Amino acid sequence: MSAPDSPASGGRPSDAGDDRQPPGADELRPLAPADLAGQRPSADEQERHAERAYRYCLRRLTGAPCTEQQLRDALTKRGYDDAVTDDVLHRLRTAGLVNDRLFAQLWVESRARSKGLTSPVLRAELRRKGIGDELSDEAIEQLDPHDERERAAELVRRKLRGPVPPRGPERDRLIRRLGGMLARKGHPAGRAFAIVTEVLDEQHEAHDETDEYAVGRWD
């Protein structure tokens, strides 16, 4: 006869788990249906759920930084109630493992430098990650408008390999494509095309008109 609390008997599995499971496997699984039935959990169950949720968040944070809202959404999706989620996020904040202000600052710095993104695009990205307007504005204020324009020009330079055409349909095509690239990164159309034109003129002056030219990948 099966033990009363074995899966085969229809009861809840033992908290001890299966010896064949890898370490940490328990917190990677969502709560079982019995845990979500709506009954008020005992103090021991609440503590067990909180510890399991905390370990899950630690594993998430080991892979990449997260905002509080990202972790809250993940815990809710896995079936943890608000009390457990609030407790876990408080522990993470106290330990310095979750810091939305620092996340916003590092995100803005990294994305502006590596991708050439502008303030409106960065603000939208932070909003999708659950960062409020106050912290977003604070992080974006660190960006210098002059540096933003120079980053855009440098991005255009990186896309060009060798000389550029001085005039004609090929030059017009380059202006449209490179201007469109900058517009997708949040630059107003007028500024985007002005930056591209300046860089093309600069590159043309640096090379002989008869040289071949090429253009890199667009993103």
Side-chain angles (χ1 to χ4, degrees):
M1 179 180 296
S2 300
D5 61 349
S6 69
S9 66
R12 293 178 61 181
S14 168
D15 288 343
D18 190 331
D19 291 339
R20 293 171 297 178
Q21 294 177 341
D26 183 61
E27 66 265 22
L28 295 181
R29 294 195 307 270
L31 294 180
D35 294 312
L36 305 175
Q39 71 271 25
R40 185 174 182 177
S42 67
D44 287 344
E45 287 178 321
Q46 192 81 347
E47 183 177 350
R48 178 172 60 85
H49 290 172
E51 189 58 32
R52 182 174 169 184
Y54 185 73
R55 293 198 306 268
Y56 168 75
C57 288
L58 290 180
R59 294 174 73 90
R60 282 284 299 261
L61 291 167
T62 299
C66 297
T67 66
E68 284 195 29
Q69 189 61 52
Q70 286 177 309
L71 292 176
R72 181 177 294 277
D73 291 344
L75 291 177
T76 299
K77 184 177 181 180
R78 301 180 77 80
Y80 294 102
D81 62 26
D82 289 343
V84 167
T85 298
D86 290 342
D87 176 66
V88 168
L89 291 177
H90 175 72
R91 290 175 64 186
L92 293 170
R93 282 195 303 271
T94 302
L97 297 175
V98 173
N99 186 327
D100 280 359
R101 173 174 278 102
L102 181 60
F103 180 98
Q105 292 172 349
L106 295 178
W107 183 269
V108 166
E109 179 183 348
S110 173
R111 299 285 285 175
R113 183 183 65 252
S114 64
K115 297 294 185 180
L117 301 182
T118 60
S119 300
V121 175
L122 292 168
R123 185 174 286 104
E125 288 187 341
L126 290 174
R127 186 176 295 116
R128 287 195 294 271
K129 293 181 178 297
I131 300 294
D133 290 342
E134 182 177 350
L135 291 183
S136 294
D137 291 343
E138 181 182 308
I140 289 171
E141 283 177 0
Q142 68 182 305
L143 298 178
D144 186 323
H146 175 75
D147 291 343
E148 190 174 85
R149 185 183 181 92
E150 181 53 36
R151 280 193 297 269
E154 182 57 32
L155 184 60
V156 172
R157 294 186 192 103
R158 291 204 306 265
K159 296 299 180 182
L160 296 170
R161 296 195 298 267
V164 298
R167 64 185 68 83
E170 286 299 326
R171 179 185 173 91
D172 293 341
R173 181 179 66 85
L174 283 177
I175 291 175
R176 287 195 301 271
R177 294 182 67 182
L178 289 166
M181 176 192 68
L182 293 184
R184 290 191 295 275
K185 295 180 181 297
H187 293 275
R191 182 205 299 169
F193 289 112
I195 292 172
V196 172
T197 300
E198 290 173 9
V199 173
L200 292 181
D201 289 343
E202 165 195 299
Q203 295 293 95
H204 172 62
E205 292 175 1
H207 296 87
D208 186 89
E209 294 186 14
T210 60
D211 289 342
E212 295 293 330
Y213 69 92
V215 182
R217 292 180 60 248
W218 316 92
D219 57 21

